[in-house]
Amino acid sequence: KSMKTLKIGLLGLGQVGSGFYSIFEAKHKSLSQKCGAKLNLAQVAVHNLTKKRKVRFQSSLLTKNALSVVKNPEINLVIELIGGIHPAKELILTALRSGKDVITANKALLAEHGQELFREAQKNGRHLLFEASVGGGIPVIKTIREGLVGNEIDSIQAIINGTSNFILSKMTEEHLDFAEALRLARKEGFAEADPTLDIEGIDAAHKLTILASLVFGGWVPFQAIYVSGISSIRSEDIEFADEFGFKIKLLAVAKKTKSGVEAHVRPTLLSDSHVLSRVNGSNNAVLIHGDRVGDLLLCGQGAGSQPTGSAVMSDVVDIARLRASSSENPDCTISSKVLSVRNASSLLSRYYLRFHVVDRPGVLSKISFVLGEYRISISDVIQKERRDGRIVPLILLTHPTPEQSIQDAVKKIDRLAVTQGKAQVLRIEES
Amino acid sequence: KSMKTLKIGLLGLGQVGSGFYSIFEAKHKSLSQKCGAKLNLAQVAVHNLTKKRKVRFQSSLLTKNALSVVKNPEINLVIELIGGIHPAKELILTALRSGKDVITANKALLAEHGQELFREAQKNGRHLLFEASVGGGIPVIKTIREGLVGNEIDSIQAIINGTSNFILSKMTEEHLDFAEALRLARKEGFAEADPTLDIEGIDAAHKLTILASLVFGGWVPFQAIYVSGISSIRSEDIEFADEFGFKIKLLAVAKKTKSGVEAHVRPTLLSDSHVLSRVNGSNNAVLIHGDRVGDLLLCGQGAGSQPTGSAVMSDVVDIARLRASSSENPDCTISSKVLSVRNASSLLSRYYLRFHVVDRPGVLSKISFVLGEYRISISDVIQKERRDGRIVPLILLTHPTPEQSIQDAVKKIDRLAVTQGKAQVLRIEES
């Protein structure tokens, strides 16, 4: 019996593209058998035709014209690995409108324009798969969509930015300050020249947008996600947190509550007994809670050429399987219905507050007076080294309090004569 | 456009069956939409028609005659959740021969007769899915088969028996001895009246047979897997291991090596820095190493009515998707080619040895003399409380040594006048 052929057009041959290509070369023959369709790489669009590359190539496959690939009537599947918003968005839209399935690893694009892209996929009866957009080689999208298909997922807690996790881990393990840890991350290739997207939590929020939209069955707007990065974390915060039995992690959280969806990315104190507190280095981890399976943890390499290429490859095989059987029934989109996201300021949580105060009698009472005004109650206090008249750190942990009260109280305390600079405010996530 | 209907026959309504049924009832409508086929439960075979059940039922669905279900020409999919070898095996074979797809959670059956069952599935062009057979609600089979499809998997280390892990965790955390911890496991519903299959490692070996056969692309015979259980573990072993920075876990290991497949289940010392050393209670965890993704950890509830039912549900949706598109191309079988498994005695590893010795000068030198004869070199020693002439524990950790040498040396040492009883021999797994 004759096998169908899946003709693939690849856009981009950078980090992820070349990782995917090397896997494709090694495995496409055996996988063609497995999925019942011949996997054929028909065209590869690159920016620079003459660049020397690690991967070896039939040069006839290469083109500079990405648009010709997405319009090529021979091609059934387009893999977008060029990144960025433009022209990636237009290329994907054109591919879908030309009746091609699409695979992308582009989390920024999906987070910002996913609604439109998935709607277009649905309209054209095409698949738009995106396993590689979250968690690198960890099959988190497939697990949510297929493995846990019998579950209502009510919460996700995730460490989904390797750069930030590497920096926080080094600050914790080697007592580095932020700048030193960032330098190390750059040196070891875990941070880019401009690390803003990573350290300010934006990359994690892009990924959280995708995860939250997927599990809650509607679109969670990227703009509605509260985002705070790790650049304000000092080594003293990490040390004080440790004294109370916590680790600081850049945590992405999505929860379904009676009053709406909760979604935020922020540096967070996690108890040492919390399973995510032990995920170190550049690793990613996703903790999913389903009503039937309970807690499920996935942990692995969240970035890198080969792990991310591996995720792209699994999408290719899924497309091939679906198309081999000529199903015209794609269900792999995210509903474009917009979900309402709760304002972060209304959320209740315990908090870690670090003030720099003048070490003078009555300071604690002044601060706790203001906290009392906002009905904030304190569970723990650390005040180190008594040095009369000098500036010393004062750390308070609160009982559960609405964020708005914390922000208001801290603003007032920051204006007191006994405090210096701005307070550090970190959320404590109970397991 | 009219939807196909997938007519399901369910065999068994025990723990897993009723868990699956409650999920099916709650979700079948929304999932029918998702997978493009109407999911219809047509018949349910039970042992006792009049038994009171938690789940509510149209009594017209029930039958005592399982054979009539697997022969019912209306039914497309049979879900076997009755367990045991007979008549489960005959029912599955009949279902496959009657052109039905089959889902099973029956790990003992797959481990012992999987080769025959998968061959029959292939012959008839039918699917035989088994997500629920390993790791309860953890989607480990799907992850290996689909998520990591672009990888060569070279090793799996797994904690896949919740009962044993619960017992060892309690012995570690609460300093209980084995009998006390087993009693507690029974009380809390984590151990059955006859716990032999669990505590002697047989259940874990059944599951390892399935995992190893899946990842290495050929059949790993259950009989070829070295199995040793946890009933010989004493609380002193746990304490001494702890002093060296190790936890004791019932570890299932499958590795691909140049000289063949390595597969064994045994109580093992894991360094405190090994991620599996921190998997406690009745949890299961599978650590997979792929050539592209590196280490991937999956961790969650490995048993229980709802988590296991959730795994069955995901298989149902997969079948529905495949059949909705009338694909006649099942690839979800395990090759029945038999793989050769290396004899455990030839494997090289570090070992933990615990002797009970008469506390008398020269004892250590007598024992180390024998070890020297077998070229076994010692890395660490603990000898506690000097109590002249009394029996005290002596613990030795070795450098990497072939298991056969260890077994031979220990046999000789056990016969020395200065030792009492049989030595404890445990493998140390390097991360």
Side-chain angles (χ1 to χ4, degrees):
Chain A
K1 140 183 158 190
S2 86
M3 250 193 209
K4 295 200 184 189
T5 297
L6 186 75
K7 289 219 170 197
I8 301 170
L10 174 62
L11 312 180
L13 209 52
Q15 273 271 88
V16 180
S18 55
F20 166 71
Y21 182 78
S22 83
I23 296 172
F24 186 86
E25 274 306 288
K27 304 272 291 181
H28 73 102
K29 279 191 191 134
S30 63
L31 291 179
S32 294
Q33 286 298 329
K34 249 190 179 171
C35 55
K38 206 169 160 239
L39 303 177
N40 179 277
L41 191 58
Q43 250 188 319
V44 181
V46 294
H47 193 66
N48 181 345
L49 283 175
T50 54
K51 189 174 164 186
K52 286 220 164 166
R53 302 179 188 278
K54 278 183 213 156
V55 288
R56 299 176 100 233
F57 250 100
Q58 265 180 276
S59 59
S60 62
L61 291 182
L62 292 184
T63 172
K64 276 192 72 165
N65 188 347
L67 197 61
S68 74
V69 176
V70 299
K71 287 185 162 175
N72 182 342
E74 297 241 299
I75 283 176
N76 319 111
L77 166 64
V78 167
I79 304 177
E80 183 275 304
L81 301 176
I82 54 180
I85 304 297
H86 307 288
K89 183 183 166 189
E90 292 72 23
L91 291 168
I92 291 178
L93 287 172
T94 308
L96 292 169
R97 287 175 191 142
S98 317
K100 301 172 191 351
D101 294 308
V102 173
I103 292 169
T104 180
N106 195 329
K107 57 239 173 180
L109 178 61
L110 289 178
E112 291 176 24
H113 301 278
Q115 228 189 330
E116 186 182 345
L117 296 168
F118 286 114
R119 209 188 284 129
E120 196 64 36
Q122 192 135 43
K123 216 168 88 184
N124 292 281
R126 294 293 109 185
H127 294 281
L128 171 54
L129 297 192
F130 51 97
E131 183 64 69
S133 67
V134 182
I138 308 170
V140 55
I141 305 295
K142 179 176 278 287
T143 295
I144 290 172
R145 181 172 265 159
E146 301 174 23
L148 302 185
V149 72
N151 289 257
E152 298 297 325
I153 293 172
D154 46 42
S155 103
I156 287 187
Q157 297 179 309
I159 294 174
I160 39 181
N161 182 266
T163 308
S164 300
N165 204 47
F166 179 87
I167 291 172
L168 292 173
S169 299
K170 285 296 165 185
M171 289 176 76
T172 307
E173 290 158 10
E174 297 175 21
H175 307 283
L176 307 182
D177 67 26
F178 178 79
E180 292 168 331
L182 175 58
R183 224 172 293 136
L184 192 62
R186 278 209 181 100
K187 206 177 118 192
E188 302 202 4
F190 292 120
E192 300 180 43
D194 177 2
T196 312
L197 286 182
D198 291 319
I199 64 175
E200 296 308 341
I202 300 159
D203 174 74
H206 283 149
K207 294 166 180 166
L208 185 65
T209 303
I210 298 169
L211 287 181
S213 301
L214 186 63
V215 297
F216 300 141
W219 202 255
V220 174
F222 171 64
Q223 292 75 11
I225 293 182
Y226 176 90
V227 184
S228 157
I230 63 166
S231 57
S232 75
I233 302 293
R234 298 181 175 217
S235 30
E236 62 177 346
D237 293 321
I238 288 182
E239 282 157 32
F240 290 126
D242 188 58
E243 287 192 38
F244 289 113
F246 293 101
K247 296 281 176 289
I248 299 182
K249 293 289 177 190
L250 183 66
L251 196 71
V253 174
K255 279 185 189 159
K256 206 175 201 168
T257 70
K258 279 174 193 156
S259 25
V261 166
E262 192 182 315
H264 43 87
V265 171
R266 58 210 312 190
T268 304
L269 272 69
L270 291 176
S271 149
D272 289 340
S273 65
H274 193 296
V275 64
L276 294 179
S277 76
R278 301 191 202 106
V279 174
N280 290 320
S282 64
N283 278 325
N284 280 19
V286 183
L287 182 63
I288 305 167
H289 188 269
D291 61 344
R292 308 291 176 163
V293 290
D295 277 333
L296 179 70
L297 175 73
L298 310 180
C299 182
Q301 289 183 37
S305 168
Q306 296 283 321
T308 313
S310 154
V312 175
M313 192 71 221
S314 98
D315 277 349
V316 171
V317 171
D318 280 356
I319 295 274
R321 280 194 180 125
L322 290 161
R323 293 301 170 202
S325 53
S326 70
S327 152
E328 293 300 323
N329 178 55
D331 65 313
C332 295
T333 58
I334 296 177
S335 154
S336 58
K337 181 183 78 179
V338 175
L339 297 179
S340 87
V341 178
R342 289 177 71 187
N343 194 309
S345 62
S346 69
L347 301 179
L348 214 66
S349 171
R350 293 184 66 203
Y351 284 88
Y352 162 102
L353 309 176
R354 188 250 300 143
F355 305 99
H356 283 164
V357 301
V358 185
D359 192 12
R360 191 183 292 159
V363 167
L364 183 56
S365 97
K366 274 186 185 136
I367 290 176
S368 48
F369 180 79
V370 177
L371 294 174
E373 286 185 301
Y374 291 90
R375 305 176 149 269
I376 298 167
S377 96
I378 298 167
S379 71
D380 296 272
V381 180
I382 296 185
Q383 191 167 8
K384 280 283 157 119
E385 336 152 34
R386 317 249 14 153
R387 293 190 298 174
D388 231 13
R390 304 281 200 79
I391 300 295
V392 295
L394 169 67
I395 289 86
L396 304 175
L397 304 194
T398 75
H399 286 296
T401 308
E403 167 128 9
Q404 192 59 57
S405 313
I406 292 283
Q407 296 297 355
D408 294 344
V410 164
K411 202 183 269 178
K412 194 159 176 184
I413 292 169
D414 281 347
R415 286 195 304 258
L416 293 178
V418 295
T419 62
Q420 198 184 61
K422 289 188 97 178
Q424 175 70 285
V425 180
L426 300 174
R427 200 162 187 268
I428 300 176
E429 182 82 10
E430 316 283 355
S431 73
Chain B
K1 135 183 163 195
S2 85
M3 250 191 205
K4 295 200 184 187
T5 297
L6 186 75
K7 290 220 170 197
I8 302 169
L10 174 62
L11 312 180
L13 209 51
Q15 274 270 89
V16 179
S18 55
F20 165 71
Y21 182 76
S22 82
I23 296 172
F24 185 86
E25 274 305 287
K27 304 270 293 180
H28 72 102
K29 279 189 193 141
S30 62
L31 291 178
S32 294
Q33 284 299 326
K34 250 190 179 169
C35 55
K38 202 167 164 242
L39 304 176
N40 178 277
L41 190 59
Q43 250 189 319
V44 181
V46 294
H47 194 66
N48 181 345
L49 283 176
T50 54
K51 190 174 163 187
K52 286 220 168 166
R53 300 179 191 277
K54 280 184 212 156
V55 287
R56 297 175 100 233
F57 249 102
Q58 264 180 280
S59 59
S60 63
L61 292 181
L62 292 183
T63 172
K64 278 193 70 166
N65 188 345
L67 195 61
S68 74
V69 176
V70 300
K71 288 187 163 173
N72 181 342
E74 299 242 298
I75 283 175
N76 319 110
L77 166 64
V78 168
I79 304 177
E80 183 277 301
L81 302 175
I82 55 180
I85 305 298
H86 306 287
K89 183 182 169 191
E90 292 71 21
L91 290 168
I92 290 179
L93 287 172
T94 306
L96 292 169
R97 286 173 192 145
S98 317
K100 302 171 190 352
D101 294 310
V102 173
I103 292 170
T104 179
N106 196 331
K107 57 238 176 186
L109 177 61
L110 289 178
E112 291 176 24
H113 302 279
Q115 227 189 332
E116 184 181 348
L117 295 169
F118 286 112
R119 207 186 286 129
E120 195 65 35
Q122 193 133 45
K123 216 169 84 185
N124 293 278
R126 295 293 110 185
H127 293 282
L128 171 55
L129 298 190
F130 50 96
E131 182 63 72
S133 67
V134 182
I138 306 170
V140 55
I141 305 296
K142 180 176 277 288
T143 295
I144 291 172
R145 177 173 269 161
E146 302 174 23
L148 303 184
V149 72
N151 289 258
E152 299 296 324
I153 293 171
D154 45 43
S155 102
I156 287 186
Q157 296 179 307
I159 294 174
I160 37 179
N161 182 266
T163 307
S164 301
N165 204 46
F166 179 88
I167 291 172
L168 291 173
S169 298
K170 287 293 167 187
M171 290 176 74
T172 306
E173 293 158 8
E174 298 176 17
H175 308 282
L176 305 182
D177 67 25
F178 177 80
E180 291 166 331
L182 175 57
R183 225 172 292 135
L184 191 61
R186 279 211 179 99
K187 208 177 118 192
E188 302 201 2
F190 292 119
E192 300 180 43
D194 177 3
T196 313
L197 286 181
D198 292 317
I199 65 176
E200 296 308 342
I202 299 159
D203 174 73
H206 283 148
K207 294 167 180 165
L208 185 66
T209 303
I210 297 170
L211 287 181
S213 301
L214 187 62
V215 297
F216 300 141
W219 202 254
V220 175
F222 170 66
Q223 292 75 12
I225 293 183
Y226 177 90
V227 184
S228 157
I230 62 166
S231 57
S232 74
I233 303 294
R234 296 184 178 214
S235 30
E236 63 178 346
D237 293 319
I238 287 184
E239 283 156 32
F240 290 126
D242 188 57
E243 287 191 39
F244 289 113
F246 293 102
K247 296 281 176 289
I248 300 181
K249 294 287 176 190
L250 182 66
L251 196 71
V253 174
K255 282 186 188 156
K256 204 173 199 167
T257 71
K258 279 173 194 158
S259 26
V261 166
E262 189 183 318
H264 43 86
V265 171
R266 58 211 311 191
T268 303
L269 272 67
L270 291 177
S271 148
D272 288 340
S273 65
H274 193 296
V275 64
L276 293 179
S277 76
R278 302 190 202 108
V279 174
N280 290 320
S282 63
N283 278 325
N284 279 20
V286 183
L287 182 64
I288 305 167
H289 187 270
D291 61 345
R292 309 290 177 162
V293 293
D295 277 334
L296 179 70
L297 175 72
L298 310 180
C299 182
Q301 290 184 38
S305 165
Q306 296 282 321
T308 314
S310 156
V312 174
M313 191 72 220
S314 98
D315 277 350
V316 170
V317 171
D318 280 356
I319 295 273
R321 280 195 180 123
L322 291 160
R323 291 304 170 202
S325 53
S326 68
S327 153
E328 294 299 324
N329 178 51
D331 67 310
C332 296
T333 57
I334 296 176
S335 152
S336 59
K337 181 185 77 181
V338 175
L339 298 179
S340 87
V341 177
R342 289 177 69 188
N343 195 311
S345 62
S346 68
L347 302 178
L348 214 66
S349 170
R350 295 185 64 204
Y351 284 88
Y352 161 103
L353 309 177
R354 188 249 303 143
F355 304 100
H356 283 165
V357 300
V358 184
D359 192 12
R360 191 184 289 159
V363 169
L364 184 57
S365 95
K366 275 186 184 136
I367 289 176
S368 47
F369 179 80
V370 178
L371 294 173
E373 287 184 305
Y374 290 90
R375 305 174 148 271
I376 297 167
S377 98
I378 296 168
S379 70
D380 296 272
V381 181
I382 296 183
Q383 190 165 11
K384 282 283 159 122
E385 336 153 34
R386 317 247 15 147
R387 292 190 299 175
D388 230 14
R390 304 281 200 81
I391 300 297
V392 295
L394 169 69
I395 289 85
L396 305 174
L397 305 195
T398 75
H399 285 295
T401 310
E403 166 126 11
Q404 191 61 57
S405 313
I406 293 282
Q407 296 296 356
D408 293 347
V410 163
K411 201 183 269 177
K412 194 159 176 185
I413 293 169
D414 282 347
R415 286 195 304 258
L416 293 178
V418 295
T419 62
Q420 199 185 57
K422 290 187 98 178
Q424 174 71 285
V425 179
L426 300 174
R427 200 162 187 266
I428 300 176
E429 182 84 8
E430 316 285 351
S431 74

